[in-house]
């Protein structure tokens, strides 16, 4: 059957597929061995893939500023540290009355030097007491227990010489030889209420036969003793009557020095002090507090802490507090 007839048959049979196949095969060339030459199909090209876009990365919002305010009262002993570089400096009242009266201090300082003056009556192996040792025995010779008294010109001259650290003349006169050295020893006795020999024995050596904490004897002038030796009706001078009153005060003060030693009173604050503090990383609020407290009369300090923990004290607020914390402290005394 010819090719023309085959085509007619294909159309009549409405079999395009079969027709195509036969036409294809009839159009193929065959080689000598009868192998059919199949054409190479075109390469497969996939449809292009449109990538899905990634959503944009939105950075998290910056953290809100952190702030903390605190306040309190400063300790009266100035021990409150508002910041590492700001301490409450609480003003104090004037110091308490002195531990010793002027008379008590003169006796202490005079005997601290006079106990070292050599005298032939010194005990064997005698070692003078130190000033600290004497103060331990005389610590309550205070303005209350052993008050100051008016001096005569003779007493003033003797006491000034007794405590003169640059001139030992008066100390040598009273303590290096005979105990009775008028008018100097008289001035010593009538001002302090103790004789020079008693001061040497009781204060320097540690004991005296005529003066002690529990020995009640009186001092007398030489004129009175001469009078009583020769007769009766003798009258003691007013200066020695008064001096025996000082003697009683001295004995009582020495007793108190042993039984109730002096304790210095703690200083007392003259004003009440309070403090305020800001901690945070909000520069606007920090600056506002600095201005507010400064205007109110507070003493203001500033400390900055880095993110690493290192810190420093400053005089002005940094421009940025990124990874920093600022501490603003202030105190006032009223």
């Amino acid at each position: 059957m010819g090719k023309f007839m085959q085509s007619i048959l294909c159309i009549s049979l409405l079999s395009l597929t079969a027709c195509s196949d036969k036409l294809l095969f009839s159009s193929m060339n065959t080689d000598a061995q009868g192998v059919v030459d199949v054409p190479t199909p075109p390469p497969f090209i996939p449809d292009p893939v449109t990538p899905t876009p990634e959503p944009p990365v939105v950075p998290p919002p910056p953290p809100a500023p952190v702030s903390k305010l605190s306040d309190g009262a400063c300790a009266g002993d100035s021990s409150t540290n508002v910041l590492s570089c700001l301490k409450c400096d609480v003003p104090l009242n004037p110091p308490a009355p002195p531990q010793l009266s002027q008379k008590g201090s003169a006796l202490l300082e005079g005997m601290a030097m006079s106990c070292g003056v050599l005298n032939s009556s010194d005990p064997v192996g005698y070692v003078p007491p130190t000033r600290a040792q004497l103060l331990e025995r005389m610590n309550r010779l205070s303005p209350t227990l052993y008050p100051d008294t008016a001096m005569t010109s003779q007493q003033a001259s003797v006491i000034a010489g007794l405590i003169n650290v640059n001139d030992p003349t008066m100390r040598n006169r009273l303590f290096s030889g005979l105990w009775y050295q008028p008018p100097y020893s008289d001035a010593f006795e009538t001002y302090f209420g103790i004789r020079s020999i008693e001061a040497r024995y009781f204060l320097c050596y540690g004991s005296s036969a005529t003066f002690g904490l529990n020995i009640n004897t009186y001092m007398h002038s030489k004129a009175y003793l001469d009078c009583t030796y020769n007769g009766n009706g003798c009258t003691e001078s007013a200066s020695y009557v008064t001096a025996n009153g000082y003697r009683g005060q001295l004995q009582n003060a020495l007793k108190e020095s042993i039984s109730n030693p002096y304790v210095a009173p703690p200083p007392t604050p003259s004003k009440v002090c309070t403090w305020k503090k800001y901690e945070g990383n909000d520069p606007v609020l920090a600056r506002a507090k600095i201005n507010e407290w400064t205007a109110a009369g507070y003493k203001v300090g500033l400390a900055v802490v880095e993110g690493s923990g290192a810190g420093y004290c400053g005089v002005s607020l940094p421009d940025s507090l990124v990874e920093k914390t600022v501490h603003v402290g202030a105190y006032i005394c009223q």
Side-chain angles (χ1 to χ4, degrees):
M1 184 182 297
K3 292 183 179 180
F4 179 78
M5 293 301 296
Q6 290 177 349
S7 299
I8 295 299
L9 180 60
C10 288
I11 294 173
S12 63
L13 294 177
L14 301 176
S15 178
L16 295 176
T17 304
C19 177
S20 298
D21 291 343
K22 289 183 178 182
L23 287 174
L24 178 63
F25 280 105
S26 65
S27 63
M28 291 181 182
N29 297 323
T30 58
D31 57 11
Q33 290 78 21
V35 178
V36 178
D37 184 10
V38 179
T40 302
F44 175 76
I45 300 175
D47 294 335
V49 178
T50 303
T52 303
E54 294 290 336
V57 177
V58 179
V66 177
S67 298
K68 176 184 175 182
L69 290 170
S70 56
D71 56 64
C74 297
D77 60 357
S78 298
S79 61
T80 301
N81 290 317
V82 185
L83 302 173
S84 59
C85 48
L86 182 65
K87 185 176 185 178
C88 284
D89 186 9
V90 182
L92 300 177
N93 285 312
Q99 177 180 352
L100 304 179
S101 63
Q102 291 183 1
K103 180 185 287 192
S105 179
L107 183 59
L108 170 67
E109 303 302 339
M111 295 312 299
M113 294 181 283
S114 297
C115 285
V117 175
L118 297 179
N119 190 291
S120 58
S121 64
D122 291 340
V124 176
Y126 166 66
V127 176
T130 64
R131 181 187 183 280
Q133 291 172 323
L134 286 175
L135 178 59
E136 187 176 354
R137 304 171 195 171
M138 305 165 67
N139 63 82
R140 294 299 303 278
L141 271 61
S142 67
T144 301
L145 298 178
Y146 192 51
D148 296 319
T149 54
M151 289 183 180
T152 65
S153 59
Q154 184 67 61
Q155 288 173 338
S157 175
V158 169
I159 302 310
L162 179 70
I163 62 176
N164 188 335
V165 296
N166 299 313
D167 186 358
T169 302
M170 185 59 68
R171 293 188 293 275
N172 290 333
R173 181 177 288 144
L174 290 170
F175 294 101
S176 66
L178 298 177
W179 304 116
Y180 184 58
Q181 295 288 336
Y184 313 109
S185 54
D186 294 331
F188 183 96
E189 293 174 5
T190 54
Y191 181 68
F192 289 121
I194 186 172
R195 293 190 293 163
S196 57
I197 185 174
E198 292 171 330
R200 178 74 175 201
Y201 275 66
F202 181 78
L203 296 175
C204 302
Y205 301 161
S207 65
S208 169
T210 58
F211 181 91
L213 302 183
N214 299 305
I215 300 175
N216 297 316
T217 60
Y218 294 97
M219 295 186 302
H220 292 289
S221 63
K222 185 177 183 301
Y224 177 84
L225 293 176
D226 291 342
C227 177
T228 57
Y229 180 79
N230 295 320
N232 298 318
C234 302
T235 301
E236 184 57 272
S237 65
S239 60
Y240 270 86
V241 171
T242 302
N244 279 311
Y246 303 157
R247 187 177 181 85
Q249 293 172 343
L250 177 59
Q251 285 180 308
N252 182 55
L254 291 170
K255 288 179 183 179
E256 288 292 309
S257 298
I258 302 300
S259 62
N260 187 23
Y262 172 83
V263 177
T268 57
S270 61
K271 294 184 178 181
V272 175
C273 303
T274 56
W275 59 267
K276 295 179 182 291
K277 188 175 181 180
Y278 166 82
E279 300 171 79
N281 57 4
D282 186 342
V284 175
L285 183 55
R287 187 169 286 106
K289 290 302 176 184
I290 292 175
N291 295 337
E292 173 189 342
W293 294 337
T294 300
Y298 284 73
K299 183 173 183 179
V300 179
L302 177 69
V304 179
V305 180
E306 306 281 359
S308 61
Y312 64 90
C313 294
V315 295
S316 61
L317 191 66
D319 294 333
S320 173
L321 292 182
V322 177
E323 296 186 356
K324 295 178 183 178
T325 300
V326 66
H327 294 187
V328 179
Y331 78 92
I332 192 170
C333 298
Q334 298 172 314

